[in-house]
Amino acid sequence: MRCGAKCFLVKIEADEGEQISCVIARTPAEARKNFRDKYGAASPILSVREKKRKNGI
């Protein structure tokens, strides 16, 4: 994990409906890039949101 990295929730459209995957990145754009590198460019991304931490650390 790099300095300044956060966990982003990436919502994609799949055959079974919508799925959510956690991606570690610094920005939402980098999260999209990392997701497409791992799962392929054909996966339609619906949204990218930062995962909020409960303990605030």
Side-chain angles (χ1 to χ4, degrees), residues 12-44:
I12 62 165
E13 186 177 328
D15 295 333
E16 305 90 34
E18 296 177 352
Q19 291 183 344
I20 297 176
S21 177
C22 183
V23 178
I24 297 174
R26 290 183 181 172
T27 63
E30 186 179 359
R32 288 176 184 268
K33 180 182 174 185
N34 291 345
F35 184 84
R36 287 186 179 131
D37 286 344
K38 188 172 182 180
Y39 296 105
S43 301

